[in-house]
């Protein structure tokens, strides 16, 4: 048995309380005087009792003894006795606490994060002297909330400070953070400190998308799996589109999915600026019948009837904030609401900058644009600012640049053919000829209905792009078509043009295919979709978003979904970037540009909405021990001491009453 | 509590009439002072024939048995039993401890003494009443005849319990002062810190027909006490600090039983009749039943 309190605490308590108690017993008891016939027999009786009792002194002062016993028990209780816990000397614990969206699932009045915190507290209580621990909380990003320390109060405080996030759970970064300090400890242990490798304890419900990539390089990982319920149905995607040809017509498509093992019927409501506009009922089949949901992975389960797409059509000629709400409570309310910011309808305009390209002119002419202009490269470069730029943005929604690389790139959308934006990180090299397309992303909206394999291209430029560029078509040496975003600009770069570098021969047969028109349609729609046709690009919880603000201001206020506000500095390019998007809802920036001052943060993540705890949780490599809970090793004994104290009090009460009421 | 009570509180007339049928029995035949209604050791002039003896000069010729002389021609004197009076002595403990109890032990003792005195007076016995505490007296000695019962009742009523009981001195004094044989009845609680043995030995030594009647109150037999108390001895103001527990009470009762048993055994060994009574026992029942059953009365 150990005592948590220092040795002097019980001594001090005893020193303060025992002498007054004993002194009290030196005071004479005030006795009631009673006349009797003779004290002869009474004296004899008292003497007899004293003589016959082997513990006569004890009997005389039984009350004193009982009270001394009580004081001793209290002194022991104050010293916080503990039964010796388990574990070897000087362990290093790394507590990884999942605070992702699924951990907000509520069961039995508390969330999974609450359960995880409680288990973590138990583990900290179990720590022996010499043990050290660090606490890392993670959702999409990891954060060290307590560095390696042996101070339990600091660890308890750190555990309590962990807040819920609505972001998805990713373990990789947390493990990277965890392994850095523990490896230092390991090095130190080689010389004087006998600390062994770290014990990683992961508190999670097991829904971590990247768990299969995580490796435990040294030490062991214990997984404390919290949560039991799978009771959830949620909105897993939300798509809001304006009709391409009738921009005032709005289509809202919400994908609702049942993650439970039973059939559900849920009302899906559409709210426009807080008012309910329409309600649909979604009948949802069970995710899986007769199977243990904890053993399932979403990838292995066909959607069947468990997923329903609910569509709403409405006419909306203004900007608005949309909300789709799923009725009926479940354990995981985060995905029962999804938000969208709808920009006002605006007709699309385009500019074609080309030394002469009738195929592109025909393409633009075929697209449903309000109007388009065709400039030569010289006209483009020499055009006065007001002809090209309006309100800090390019006057044209999409600028098509044919065989003209330029650095005149006002905020806007650009499509380059056989050219590239002259910006840092983008380089053009020599012409590569007669090479095949190796790979392409046919799922990307720009390449929808575009059979890339049917396109023949004779040559293209060797373009080096930054790593964050999204390749759409790849050749042997690099991207052939890619999408690059830079601040408020989007660049769709095609390394090949319609004509070859001499502009005397056509370079491709693409213009003769219907997919060329489809590509043009897709490109305009995709590039302008965020600002003119439909909703603002969706933001996942934890991801930063960027909002343009009025030129010249140095800071703006972000109003979060819970109503709190935060002052955020604005960068030089009149852009505000905000990263604390850990809760779903609408984030509004003020002062912002009218119609473009808010962003919606939605979970819309199948994996995170599938809250059934993962019974089959695995990591890539390392020793893993799974458990449901942390066993309490350091059992506090003060409760038992207190119970004993109460028992003694009861005995005292009994003895006292026995003496008085004969 | 004052024991100076009215005389008719000691004995009421109806009870007195029931007492008149009783007589005090002496287990021994004593020589009395005067002629009485009780057969004496001595031969005398009663009607009951006792024996013959030879005539000697000087004998009263009236007691010659002439019928014998006619048959045998020898002179025999007829002897008759002498009937003499009986000394009935009642010793009453008048120490302050006798004031204890409800009713007080002293009152109870006085009633018993009055009843015995009345029985004695009715049977022409010579009745003496002596009170004692730390000193001997008051006393009323040698009265005879029922007409004096009022004096007896007055005497008893005037006895005021006071002082510390000293049985040894009292008995010694009594033995010296009352050498005549007779019945001696000691009414006391026998709670004498100096001990009762020496006193009783003095009485036993005088060959009295001795009766020891121990009177205790119910409060002494089963004390209704609880808690932390300072017990004050009403006689000598001695105090005893006690915490009354069940164990202490049991021990007290055990000691009391032992004390009484010791007294009884002491008396039995020496031919003394011992009677124990509680003031809770009705006084008339005590006299009419208990004393008759123990052979003091008939």
């Amino acid at each position: 048995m150990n005592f948590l309190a220092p040795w002097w605490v019980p001594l001090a308590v005893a020193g303060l309380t025992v002498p007054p108690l004993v002194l009290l017993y030196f005071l004479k008891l005030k006795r009631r005087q009673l006349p009797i016939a003779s004290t002869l027999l009474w004296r004899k009786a008292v003497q007899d009792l004293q003589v016959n009792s082997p513990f006569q002194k004890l009997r005389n002062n039984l009350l004193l003894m009982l009270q001394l016993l009580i004081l001793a028990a209290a002194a022991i209780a104050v010293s916080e006795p503990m039964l010796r816990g388990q574990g070897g000397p000087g362990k290093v614990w790394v507590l990884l606490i999942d605070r992702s969206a699924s951990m907000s699932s509520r069961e039995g009045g508390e969330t999974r994060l609450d359960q995880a915190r409680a288990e973590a507290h138990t583990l900290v209580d179990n720590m022996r002297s010499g043990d050290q621990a660090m606490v890392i909380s993670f959702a999409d990003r990891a954060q060290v909330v307590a560095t390696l320390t042996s101070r339990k109060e600091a660890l308890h405080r750190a555990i309590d400070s962990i807040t819920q996030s609505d972001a998805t759970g990713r373990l990789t970064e947390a493990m990277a953070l965890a392994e850095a300090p523990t490896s230092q400890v390991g090095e130190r242990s080689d010389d004087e400190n006998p600390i062994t490798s770290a014990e990683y304890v992961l508190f999670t419900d097991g829904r971590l998308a990247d768990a299969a990539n995580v490796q435990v390089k040294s030490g062991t990982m214990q997984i404390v799996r919290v949560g039991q319920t799978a009771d959830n149905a949620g909105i897993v995607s939300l798509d809001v589109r304006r009709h391409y040809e009738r921009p005032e017509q709005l289509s809202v498509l919400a994908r609702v999915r049942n993650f439970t093992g039973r059939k559900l019927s849920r009302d899906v409501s559409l709210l426009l600026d807080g008012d309910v506009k329409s309600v649909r009922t979604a009948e949802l089949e069970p995710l899986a019948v007769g199977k243990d949901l904890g053993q399932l992975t979403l990838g292995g389960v066909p959607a069947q009837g468990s997923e329903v797409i609910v569509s709403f059509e409405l006419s909306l000629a203004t900007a608005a904030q949309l909300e789709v709400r799923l009725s009926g409570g479940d354990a995981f309310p985060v995905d029962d609401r999804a938000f969208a910011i709808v920009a006002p309808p605006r007709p699309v305009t385009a500019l074609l900058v080309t030394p002469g390209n009738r195929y592109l002119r025909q393409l633009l002419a075929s697209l449903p644009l309000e109007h388009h202009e065709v400039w030569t490269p010289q006209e483009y470069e020499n055009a006065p600012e007001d002809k090209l730029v309006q309100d800090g943005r390019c006057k044209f929604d999409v600028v098509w640049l044919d065989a003209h690389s330029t650095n005149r790139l006002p905020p806007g959308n650009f499509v380059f053919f056989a050219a590239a934006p002259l910006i840092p990180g983008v380089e053009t090299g020599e012409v590569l000829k007669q090479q095949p397309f190796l790979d392409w992303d046919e799922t990307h909206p720009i390449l929808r209905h575009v059979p890339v394999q049917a396109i023949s291209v004779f040559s293209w430029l060797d373009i080096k792009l930054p790593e964050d560029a999204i390749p759409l078509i790849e050749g042997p040496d690099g991207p052939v078509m890619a999408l690059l975003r830079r601040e408020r600009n989007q660049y769709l770069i095609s390394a090949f043009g319609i004509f070859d570098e001499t502009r005397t021969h056509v370079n491709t047969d693409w213009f003769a295919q219907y997919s060329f028109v489809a590509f043009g349609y897709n490109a305009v729609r995709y590039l302008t979709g965020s600002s003119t046709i439909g909703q603002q690009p969706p933001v996942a919880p934890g991801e930063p978003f960027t909002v343009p603000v009025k030129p010249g201001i140095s800071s703006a206020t972000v109003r979060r979904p819970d109503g709190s506000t935060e002052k955020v500095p604005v960068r030089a390019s009149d852009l505000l970037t905000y990263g604390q998007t850990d809760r779903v809802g609408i984030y509004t920036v003020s002062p912002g540009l009218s119609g473009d001052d808010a962003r919606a943060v939605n979970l819309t993540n199948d994996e995170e909405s599938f809250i059934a705890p993962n019974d089959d949780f695995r990591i890539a490599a390392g020793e893993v021990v799974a458990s449901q809970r942390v066993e309490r090793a350091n059992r506090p004994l003060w409760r038992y001491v207190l119970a004993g104290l109460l028992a003694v009090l009861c005995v005292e009460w009994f003895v006292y009453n026995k003496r008085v009421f004969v | 509590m004052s024991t100076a009570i009215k005389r008719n509180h000691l004995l009421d007339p109806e009870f007195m009439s029931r007492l008149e049928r009783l007589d005090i029995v002496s287990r021994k035949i004593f020589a009395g002072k005067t002629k009485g209604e009780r057969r004496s050791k001595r031969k005398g002039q009663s009607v009951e024939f006792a024996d013959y003896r030879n005539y000697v000069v000087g004998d009263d010729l009236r007691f010659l048995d002439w019928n014998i002389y006619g048959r045998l021609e020898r002179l025999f004197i007829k002897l008759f039993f002498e009937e003499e009076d009986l000394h009935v002595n009642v010793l009453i403990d008048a120490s302050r401890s006798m004031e204890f109890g409800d009713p007080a032990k002293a009152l109870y003792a006085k009633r018993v003494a009055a009843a015995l005195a009345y029985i004695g007076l009715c049977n022409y016995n010579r009745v003496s009443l002596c009170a004692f505490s730390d000193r001997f007296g008051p006393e009323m000695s040698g009265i005879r005849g029922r007409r004096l019962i009022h004096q007896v009742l007055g005497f008893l009523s005037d006895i005021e319990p006071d002082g510390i009981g000293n049985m040894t001195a009292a008995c010694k004094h009594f033995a010296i002062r009352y050498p005549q044989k007779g019945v001696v009845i000691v009414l006391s609680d026998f709670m004498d810190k100096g001990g009762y043995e020496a006193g009783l030995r003095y009485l036993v030594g005088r060959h009295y027909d001795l009766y020891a009647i121990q009177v205790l109150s119910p409060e002494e037999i089963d004390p209704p006490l609880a808690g932390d108390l300072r017990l004050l001895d009403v006689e000598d103001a001695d105090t005893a600090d006690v915490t009354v527990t069940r164990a202490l009470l049991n021990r007290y009762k055990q000691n009391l039983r032992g004390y009484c048993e010791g007294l009884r055994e002491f008396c039995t060994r020496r031919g003394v009749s011992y009677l124990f009574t509680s003031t809770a026992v009705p006084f008339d029942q005590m006299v009419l039943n208990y004393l008759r059953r123990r052979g003091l009365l008939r």
Side-chain angles (χ1 to χ4, degrees):
Chain A
M1 190 169 72
N2 291 332
F3 292 91
L4 294 186
W7 59 269
W8 53 266
V9 171
L11 289 184
V13 171
L16 285 173
T17 53
V18 171
L21 177 70
V22 175
L23 275 178
L24 280 175
Y25 272 81
F26 280 110
L27 296 177
K28 269 196 167 182
L29 188 68
K30 188 170 184 179
R31 296 172 183 273
R32 187 160 58 95
Q33 190 162 295
L34 195 75
I36 55 163
S38 174
T39 53
L40 176 68
L41 294 178
W42 285 106
R43 281 199 177 283
K44 197 167 181 310
V46 170
Q47 286 167 6
D48 285 353
L49 276 186
Q50 288 177 348
V51 169
N52 290 336
S53 171
F55 302 105
Q56 45 181 303
K57 295 293 177 192
L58 182 67
R59 284 178 70 96
N60 277 344
N61 293 304
L62 186 59
L63 221 56
L64 171 65
M65 292 301 151
L66 288 172
Q67 289 177 356
L68 283 175
L69 211 62
I70 290 169
L71 285 182
I76 291 170
V78 163
S79 62
E80 296 185 68
M82 290 276 179
L83 275 183
R84 185 175 289 277
Q86 60 187 12
K91 275 189 178 178
V92 174
W93 299 89
V94 179
L95 278 59
L96 300 157
I97 300 177
D98 182 3
R99 64 181 192 106
S100 65
S102 60
M103 292 293 282
S104 70
S105 303
R106 190 165 281 277
E107 308 173 36
E110 59 178 2
T111 64
R112 290 179 179 175
L113 182 61
D114 294 335
Q115 294 175 24
R117 280 199 206 103
E119 298 294 338
H121 282 307
T122 307
L123 191 140
V124 171
D125 287 336
N126 287 354
M127 281 170 52
R128 299 181 55 195
S129 59
D131 283 6
Q132 294 184 84
M134 69 184 294
V135 183
I136 295 173
S137 72
F138 67 94
D140 59 331
R141 282 170 292 184
Q143 183 186 4
V144 178
V145 290
T147 52
L148 209 55
T149 179
S150 57
R151 291 193 306 123
K152 291 188 177 182
E153 314 88 70
L155 292 168
H156 283 304
R157 271 202 306 276
I159 291 167
D160 286 331
S161 72
I162 296 170
T163 55
Q164 182 68 53
S165 167
D166 290 340
T168 55
R170 298 193 183 283
L171 183 58
T172 315
E173 187 183 333
M175 279 305 294
L177 270 178
E179 284 177 341
T182 52
S183 61
Q184 288 174 6
V185 169
E187 286 164 17
R188 210 169 57 219
S189 70
D190 289 338
D191 19 285
E192 80 270 3
N193 203 340
I195 294 176
T196 56
S197 58
E199 301 261 348
Y200 300 94
V201 187
L202 173 62
F203 300 88
T204 180
D205 56 1
R207 293 297 167 191
L208 300 171
D210 60 344
N213 304 326
V214 171
Q215 294 186 0
V216 179
K217 290 170 189 162
S218 63
T220 58
M221 175 177 273
Q222 182 188 353
I223 295 163
V224 180
R225 211 202 63 193
V226 296
Q228 296 293 329
T229 185
D231 176 27
N232 185 40
I235 300 165
V236 290
S237 77
L238 176 66
D239 193 13
V240 180
R241 292 167 188 271
R242 286 194 181 277
H243 199 276
Y244 192 45
E245 291 166 356
R246 297 189 302 281
E248 70 281 359
Q249 282 297 112
L250 202 65
S251 295
V252 180
L253 298 171
R255 189 159 60 91
V256 180
R257 194 165 184 186
N258 180 8
F259 296 97
T260 70
R262 63 183 198 280
K263 194 173 176 180
L264 292 177
S265 177
R266 290 273 198 271
D267 285 343
V268 185
S269 313
L270 174 70
L271 291 85
L272 197 63
D273 291 331
D275 299 326
V276 177
K277 289 293 176 191
S278 182
V279 179
R280 300 264 194 283
T281 301
E283 300 291 343
L284 298 161
E285 296 296 324
L287 179 66
V289 180
K291 291 182 182 174
D292 185 357
L293 291 174
Q295 305 280 341
L296 288 182
T297 53
L298 279 184
V301 182
Q304 296 173 343
S306 69
E307 186 178 289
V308 169
I309 294 176
V310 181
S311 69
F312 300 92
E313 297 289 334
L314 71 158
S315 180
L316 182 68
T318 59
Q321 293 183 354
L322 276 180
E323 181 187 345
V324 177
R325 193 179 287 175
L326 197 61
S327 71
D330 52 36
F332 187 50
V334 176
D335 62 357
D336 290 346
R337 300 169 80 190
F339 304 87
I341 307 294
V342 181
R346 191 157 66 88
V348 176
T349 59
L351 170 66
L352 175 61
V353 179
T354 177
N357 191 328
R358 58 188 171 127
Y359 302 112
L360 284 177
R361 290 178 71 151
Q362 285 171 356
L363 174 66
L364 292 191
S366 67
L367 296 178
L369 304 171
E370 189 191 43
H371 83 280
H372 69 275
E373 294 180 19
V374 181
W375 295 358
T376 62
Q378 291 75 24
E379 287 174 329
Y380 178 78
E381 295 298 333
N382 298 330
E385 195 73 7
D386 61 336
K387 274 193 78 176
L388 191 63
V389 181
Q390 186 180 11
D391 290 337
R393 279 188 69 87
C394 183
K395 275 178 74 176
F396 301 95
D397 293 309
V398 184
V399 178
W400 296 71
L401 293 149
D402 178 29
H404 178 62
S405 297
T406 179
N407 60 358
R408 192 176 191 192
L409 300 164
N413 305 306
F414 298 87
V415 181
F416 286 89
F417 277 100
L422 299 179
I423 56 174
V426 179
E427 295 170 11
T428 54
E430 58 185 12
V431 175
L432 304 170
K433 293 185 176 178
Q434 291 184 330
Q435 294 203 358
F437 294 153
L438 291 186
D439 192 21
W440 54 91
D441 184 1
E442 59 195 6
T443 62
H444 197 277
I446 292 176
L447 295 184
R448 196 175 293 164
H449 308 299
V450 177
V452 177
Q453 71 277 12
I455 302 170
S456 301
V457 176
F458 181 71
S459 65
W460 60 72
L461 290 172
D462 183 13
I463 300 177
K464 304 293 180 200
L465 294 173
E467 283 187 1
D468 60 335
I470 302 167
L472 301 181
I473 302 173
E474 289 187 83
D477 297 319
V480 180
M481 184 181 287
L483 195 62
L484 180 65
R485 289 197 179 93
R486 279 291 175 271
E487 297 183 345
R488 296 163 69 183
N489 288 25
Q490 291 188 96
Y491 307 108
L492 176 59
I493 302 162
S494 172
F496 62 90
I498 306 298
F499 294 98
D500 64 6
E501 63 272 22
T502 62
R503 301 199 70 81
T504 53
H505 300 95
V506 291
N507 189 38
T508 175
D509 61 348
W510 195 17
F511 59 85
Q513 298 178 13
Y514 73 91
S515 65
F516 187 54
V517 182
F519 165 78
Y521 182 89
N522 289 342
V524 172
R525 182 170 173 152
Y526 181 84
L527 293 174
T528 61
S530 61
S531 60
T532 59
I533 292 183
Q535 68 190 103
Q536 294 286 354
V539 180
E543 283 184 0
F545 63 75
T546 304
V547 177
V549 293
K550 286 182 178 169
I553 63 168
S554 61
S555 68
T557 305
V558 176
R559 186 180 181 81
R560 294 166 53 85
D562 58 4
S564 61
T565 56
E566 191 175 339
K567 210 168 180 70
V568 182
V570 176
R571 285 185 289 149
S573 53
D574 299 338
L575 280 174
L576 179 141
T577 302
Y578 185 70
Q580 301 299 315
T581 56
D582 53 342
R583 306 316 298 257
V584 299
I586 290 174
Y587 292 73
T588 313
V589 177
S590 64
L593 296 178
S594 175
D596 193 17
D597 61 348
R599 291 289 183 270
V601 176
N602 293 320
L603 179 63
T604 55
N605 184 309
D606 289 70
E607 287 290 340
E608 206 63 35
S609 289
F610 186 33
I611 61 167
N614 187 359
D615 293 340
D616 204 21
F617 184 83
R618 290 176 198 282
I619 58 173
E623 190 182 337
V624 176
V625 182
S627 68
Q628 287 288 334
R629 58 184 306 118
V630 177
E631 292 301 327
R632 184 173 286 278
N634 276 340
R635 293 191 180 278
L637 293 180
W638 64 270
R639 292 187 186 88
Y640 304 107
V641 175
L642 201 64
L645 198 143
L646 282 173
V648 172
L649 270 179
C650 290
V651 169
E652 184 186 345
W653 180 87
F654 176 74
V655 167
Y656 176 77
N657 280 281
K658 200 179 167 196
R659 294 174 74 144
V660 173
F661 304 107
V662 285
Chain B
M1 173 183 164
S2 172
T3 51
I5 53 172
K6 292 181 181 175
R7 294 166 186 178
N8 56 2
H9 278 190
L10 294 177
L11 291 176
D12 60 67
E14 186 194 353
F15 184 64
M16 287 169 78
S17 67
R18 295 173 69 186
L19 292 178
E20 284 170 6
R21 295 194 291 270
L22 298 176
D23 191 6
I24 294 174
V25 179
S26 173
R27 292 165 296 172
K28 299 176 181 176
I29 297 171
F30 299 117
K33 253 184 179 175
T34 57
K35 289 194 184 298
E37 295 184 342
R38 196 168 298 270
R39 196 169 66 176
S40 168
K41 260 182 150 178
R42 287 186 289 206
K43 307 294 182 289
Q45 295 178 347
S46 72
V47 292
E48 193 176 349
F49 173 77
D51 202 357
Y52 290 101
R53 69 168 171 84
N54 290 328
Y55 171 77
V56 290
V57 177
D59 282 343
D60 192 343
L61 295 177
R62 290 176 294 174
F63 297 108
L64 278 173
D65 189 336
W66 297 109
N67 293 329
I68 297 284
Y69 181 74
R71 278 208 304 270
L72 302 176
E73 290 185 349
R74 286 182 66 182
L75 290 172
F76 284 95
I77 294 291
K78 278 201 285 189
L79 296 178
F80 296 89
F81 282 114
E82 176 76 326
E83 288 187 340
E84 290 181 345
D85 58 352
L86 178 67
H87 287 267
V88 175
N89 306 300
V90 183
L91 269 167
I92 305 164
D93 185 354
S95 66
R96 208 175 290 137
S97 67
M98 292 295 283
E99 203 177 12
F100 189 77
D102 188 17
K105 291 184 286 183
L107 176 62
Y108 198 88
K110 281 192 231 177
R111 281 178 164 173
V112 174
L116 292 173
Y118 184 63
I119 294 167
L121 290 175
C122 287
N123 292 288
Y124 291 96
N125 295 324
R126 194 165 296 276
V127 175
S128 298
L129 297 163
C130 307
F132 69 91
S133 53
D134 51 347
R135 56 190 171 79
F136 188 79
E139 60 183 318
M140 176 182 256
S141 58
I143 58 169
R144 204 166 174 237
R146 71 169 66 186
R147 69 181 187 283
L148 296 177
I149 185 62
H150 294 293
Q151 289 180 30
V152 169
L153 295 179
F155 168 78
L156 288 174
S157 300
D158 291 341
I159 294 174
E160 195 74 37
D162 193 23
I164 303 165
N166 189 346
M167 184 172 275
T168 307
C171 290
K172 184 179 178 184
H173 194 97
F174 177 84
I176 295 168
R177 191 171 168 79
Y178 293 88
Q180 300 85 5
K181 306 291 183 292
V183 176
V184 175
I185 302 154
V186 182
L187 286 162
S188 173
D189 55 7
F190 291 92
M191 294 289 181
D192 195 323
K193 285 181 180 167
Y196 54 80
E197 293 88 349
L200 288 181
R201 272 196 205 102
Y202 279 116
L203 300 180
V204 169
R206 282 289 184 182
H207 302 293
Y208 298 123
D209 190 4
L210 189 58
Y211 289 83
I213 301 178
Q214 187 179 20
V215 182
L216 292 180
S217 67
E219 291 86 348
E220 287 171 297
I221 297 167
D222 190 9
L225 302 182
D228 299 307
L229 298 172
R230 168 162 294 174
L231 301 178
L232 177 69
D233 194 318
V234 292
E235 285 190 7
D236 56 5
D238 178 36
T239 57
D241 289 343
V242 295
T243 301
V244 182
T245 63
R246 190 179 294 278
L248 184 68
L249 276 177
N250 289 338
R251 174 58 64 177
Y252 169 82
K253 288 176 189 173
Q254 196 179 331
N255 284 352
L256 180 64
R257 276 197 302 275
Y259 189 79
C260 296
E261 190 60 29
L263 177 57
R264 189 189 67 77
E265 194 178 332
F266 181 88
C267 293
T268 307
R269 282 176 184 277
R270 287 159 182 79
V272 179
S273 290
Y274 169 77
L275 277 89
F276 174 85
T277 187
S278 161
T279 55
V281 176
F283 150 70
D284 50 352
Q285 194 181 335
M286 155 73 187
V287 174
L288 296 175
N289 296 345
Y290 288 4
L291 292 183
R292 286 176 75 180
R293 207 176 297 155
R294 296 307 302 267
L296 178 61
L297 300 175
R298 68 177 175 199

